[in-house]
Amino acid sequence: MRLCVALDLPTKEENLSLAKEIKDFDIWLKVGFRAYIRDGKEFLDELKTINPNFKIFLDLKLYDIPNTMADAAQEIAKLGIDMFNVHASSGKIAMNMVMDRLSKIKNRPLVLAVTALTSFDNDNFRSIYNEDIDQKAIKMAKDSFDSGLDGVVCSVFESFNIKEHSSKEFITLTPGIRPFGEESGDQKRVADIAKAKKELVDFIVVGRPIYKASNPKEVVQKILKKI
Ligand code: C5P
C-alpha cells in the first residue's frame, strides 16, 4: 500500500513548504483542482525539483464528451505527471477513447476512474444515480476495467469487491482515510489504515489529517510505519 498526500493547502507557498517538509519519504503527492487551477504546470515542476522521485497524481477528474476528454488526456500526458483520473460516469466510449489516445504515447501516466465520491452517503448517491453505491461502484469499476484503465478511485468499503469483479492488479485508490480516528469533515465513508489494508487498497489518499496536524512530518512517519 502506498501513501498519497493531498496538497490541498490554501496557497502555493504552503503546499511547497509541506512538500519540502516530507521530501525524504517515498510517497505520492496529489495535486487537485485548487492548486492546479491556481499554480499550473510550474507548480508540478517545482514539486519535482524538491524531490525528483516524488510521484504526482493529478486529480482533475475529467468529465466531458469523449473527444474533449481524449484531447485533455493527451495534454495531461505532456505534463510529466505519473497518474491522473477521469469520472467513470463519463462512460465506456469516453474512457476507451482516452486510453486509445494515450496508447500512442511512450511512458503514459496511469489512469484511474472515479466511481462514487467518498463524500456521498447512500441517500445523496441514490438521488443522482438511482442505485445503491456498492452496486453502482462495482458496475462503474467494471466499465473502467473493460475500457483498459489502470484502476479506480473508490471508498475503502468497495475496494475488495471491485478487485473480485475485475482483477487483483486493478488499482484501487481510496480517499476518506482517517488514519488515527481524526475528524471526518465532509467525508461520509471514512476508514482507517487497518481497514484499508484488509480491503487490499493500493493507494490511500490523506489530506487534512496530515496538513492540518501541528507536525505533518510526524503524521506521515506514523502512517508509513502502519502501512
Ligand atoms: O482532507 P481529506 O483527507 O478528506 O482529502 C481527501 C482528498 O481526496 C481531497 O483532495 C479530495 O478532493 C480527494 N478526493 C475525495 N474523494 C474522491 C476523489 C478525490 O475525497 N472520490
Side-chain angles (χ1 to χ4, degrees), residues 78-96:
K78 294 178 192 161
L79 297 173
I81 51 96
D82 305 281
M83 180 158 76
F84 74 96
N85 56 0
V86 303
H87 268 285
S89 346
S90 62
K92 279 168 115 171
I93 295 175
M95 292 193 283
N96 268 307

Side-chain angles (χ1 to χ4, degrees), residues 4-8 30-33 57 59 61 85 87 114-120 153-155 173-179 183-187 189-190 205-212:
C4 184
V5 179
L7 298 178
D8 287 338
K30 184 175 87 69
V31 175
F33 288 153
F57 168 35
D59 180 19
K61 302 184 180 73
N85 56 0
H87 268 285
V114 178
T115 55
L117 296 173
T118 39
S119 56
F120 280 138
V153 182
C154 60
S155 91
L173 174 143
T174 66
I177 300 292
R178 293 299 175 260
E183 256 182 51
S184 52
D186 58 345
Q187 299 283 23
R189 288 170 300 133
V190 302
V205 174
V206 186
R208 284 163 286 190
I210 292 174
Y211 69 74
K212 290 207 168 198

Side-chain angles (χ1 to χ4, degrees), residues 82-132:
D82 305 281
M83 180 158 76
F84 74 96
N85 56 0
V86 303
H87 268 285
S89 346
S90 62
K92 279 168 115 171
I93 295 175
M95 292 193 283
N96 268 307
M97 203 185 273
V98 163
M99 297 317 287
D100 184 52
R101 197 74 72 83
L102 291 178
S103 68
K104 289 155 191 126
I105 295 169
K106 234 175 95 195
N107 294 328
R108 68 159 177 87
L110 294 170
V111 189
L112 307 183
V114 178
T115 55
L117 296 173
T118 39
S119 56
F120 280 138
D121 61 20
N122 203 44
D123 287 345
N124 305 146
F125 189 82
R126 275 202 77 92
S127 73
I128 301 170
Y129 296 95
N130 206 23
E131 213 172 328
D132 288 332

